[in-house]
Amino acid sequence: MRRLLIALVILLVVLTAGDFVAKAYATTQLRDRAERAVRGTTTGSASISSFPFTGRLLLAGSVQKVHVRVGPVVAGRVTFESIAVDLHDVHVDRNRLIREQKVQLTGLGSGTVTAELTDVEISRLAGTRVSFRPGQASVEVAGSAVGATVQVTNGTMSFGGVRLPLQFRVPRAPLFPCDATSAKVVQGAVELSCTVHNVPAELVGKTLK
């Protein structure tokens, strides 16, 4: 009985280690893929939340959550500090994973993409000083800081509470394929988000080697 227990423990350790290695391999592919797709980015990260990774993938062909983040991202005259992609119930091509060891994302249950714009970048775009603190925004008008609210409608960001007609279009970008529909003010930046129903093209992985 004791030998059997020891053997089971060893088997469990081996399986867990293998699961960890497989998930790390897939995560690295996603990170590298995102970095290659976004020209000029200098930092990238990725994570997969799913346990057991291999077992769920083989049985259901999916993982629970995928998170990818890269930055900076340039779109026209706008430079985003970073863009983060959060995908849930992500479907993976099992055949390609087994035969070619390549992670191809084929679908998802739900997803959100978030682009971060710093107050320094918005100040440059607006031509006046804009500052962000958690839940608060201020715009410099005639030499004085005036409290403002940040609003986003169909991809256009504007500031309420100030007399200046301050607004601009938030461009789409690599990994950010939709019009921003919500804004969250954090320290030194505003997070602009939208919902995606398909895996962003840059993460699908049809041509990854």
Side-chain angles (χ1 to χ4, degrees):
M1 178 63 70
R2 183 178 178 182
R3 290 181 179 179
L4 177 60
L5 289 175
I6 293 175
L8 289 175
V9 170
I10 293 174
L11 178 61
L12 180 61
V13 170
V14 171
L15 291 176
T16 301
D19 194 71
F20 177 81
V21 171
K23 185 166 72 171
Y25 179 75
T27 299
T28 300
Q29 280 199 34
L30 293 177
R31 183 202 64 200
D32 293 347
R33 184 178 302 164
E35 289 179 343
R36 284 199 297 267
V38 182
R39 183 176 301 176
T41 190
T42 57
T43 61
S45 64
S47 64
I48 297 175
S49 300
S50 189
F51 184 83
F53 171 74
T54 306
R56 180 186 174 96
L57 191 56
L58 293 177
L59 291 175
S62 66
V63 296
Q64 292 172 312
K65 180 179 179 181
V66 169
H67 172 80
V68 176
R69 184 184 185 94
V70 296
V73 179
V74 177
R77 67 191 187 100
V78 177
T79 299
F80 296 104
E81 181 72 9
S82 66
I83 290 180
V85 180
D86 289 285
L87 308 177
H88 300 270
D89 188 22
V90 184
H91 304 289
V92 181
D93 187 329
R94 287 177 293 186
N95 292 330
R96 194 171 187 208
L97 180 64
I98 294 171
R99 295 175 182 175
E100 304 176 36
Q101 293 76 56
K102 297 177 182 178
V103 180
Q104 181 176 338
L105 309 184
T106 60
L108 58 97
S110 62
T112 302
V113 182
T114 303
E116 183 180 76
L117 269 177
T118 65
D119 49 14
V120 173
E121 177 66 4
I122 293 180
S123 296
R124 183 186 69 82
L125 296 169
T128 188
R129 181 178 175 79
V130 177
S131 299
F132 293 131
R133 297 174 60 188
Q136 301 178 357
S138 64
V139 178
E140 188 173 286
V141 180
S144 299
V146 178
T149 58
V150 180
Q151 305 164 343
V152 178
T153 304
N154 296 326
T156 297
M157 187 173 76
S158 60
F159 292 83
V162 294
R163 295 181 180 180
L164 294 176
L166 191 57
Q167 67 176 28
F168 67 92
R169 182 74 179 173
V170 179
R172 296 187 180 190
L175 297 177
F176 193 76
C178 45
D179 292 332
T181 56
S182 66
K184 178 182 178 181
V185 178
V186 297
Q187 184 64 43
V190 59
E191 296 176 343
L192 305 165
S193 301
C194 60
T195 299
V196 292
H197 303 285
N198 298 296
V199 178
E202 296 82 4
L203 293 180
V204 170
K206 290 184 179 180
T207 59
L208 180 67
K209 295 182 178 182

